[in-house]
Amino acid sequence: MTDDRLDLSRSPIEIPKRFRDVRYNADHFPGAPAVRDVEGGANCQQYVFSLLRHHGFEIPDFRSRELWEDTVHTKVSEAMQPFDIVLVHNQPKSWGAHVGLCVDDGRVLHLSRSIDAPALETLDEMQARDEYRYLIGFKTVLVRHEKGSTLA
């Protein structure tokens, strides 16, 4: 039996090989000593931030709560758009929230401990599980570099 969640070819956003073969590693979080990109695995935040940086976005090494509270590098979005960061949790607070990346209408790319590989799921599918039942919200990264220019 195959798991359609693991078929990353369904993503309209380019996912290079190094992001397809990543395994979950809780010790590889943003800002952890000697952690760069997704080499050696990543937690959900490191995975999403590294993929955003690959696509030209600037985002600091935030943890979930810092990301949600930030207003300098990101802004809250009312509706999920491609490249928005999605925060979900098993409780209604941002501290310790799981993050994923919106790839299109309703679908989220994320790396979770329970799946142990990057997966594409709808937000509804994610929220059907207790671990992600609360939607904290969506964040848009404000700076993206493309062909030497800054988009905001």
Side-chain angles (χ1 to χ4, degrees):
M1 183 168 130
T2 62
D3 189 341
D4 287 343
R5 298 178 302 180
L6 304 179
D7 180 7
L8 302 186
S9 68
R10 300 177 304 132
S11 172
I13 292 174
E14 177 214 0
I15 305 171
K17 183 170 178 22
R18 75 176 198 266
F19 293 103
R20 287 185 259 134
D21 297 336
V22 175
R23 292 298 173 253
Y24 187 86
N25 183 341
D27 294 330
H28 285 213
F29 56 87
V35 171
R36 297 278 183 251
D37 202 54
V38 295
E39 186 177 326
N43 78 345
C44 62
Q45 299 146 344
Q46 185 68 26
Y47 182 77
V48 167
F49 296 165
S50 294
L51 187 56
L52 281 166
R53 290 174 184 136
H54 167 81
H55 284 284
F57 291 89
E58 281 188 24
I59 185 145
D61 284 334
F62 288 131
R63 299 307 304 262
S64 299
R65 181 175 174 211
E66 297 166 332
L67 170 64
W68 187 245
E69 292 174 352
D70 173 65
T71 58
V72 174
H73 305 281
T74 62
K75 69 176 181 177
V76 173
S77 293
E78 295 300 316
M80 185 169 69
Q81 301 294 320
F83 291 108
D84 277 358
I85 302 169
V86 179
L87 291 91
V88 292
H89 204 339
N90 65 358
Q91 50 193 316
K93 64 179 187 175
S94 61
W95 189 91
H98 180 66
V99 302
L101 183 69
C102 173
V103 297
D104 64 12
D105 289 341
R107 286 193 303 171
V108 178
L109 172 66
H110 67 113
L111 179 62
S112 73
R113 183 186 313 259
S114 63
I115 299 172
D116 193 41
L120 269 176
E121 299 184 88
T122 67
L123 183 56
D124 289 341
E125 288 169 334
M126 290 176 71
Q127 287 193 272
R129 296 195 301 277
D130 283 345
E131 63 191 316
Y132 306 134
R133 69 181 174 265
Y134 290 100
L135 174 63
I136 306 304
F138 313 115
K139 295 292 294 240
T140 299
V141 180
L142 298 175
V143 177
R144 182 178 189 185
H145 298 284
E146 199 169 323
K147 298 180 184 172
S149 65
T150 302
L151 305 176

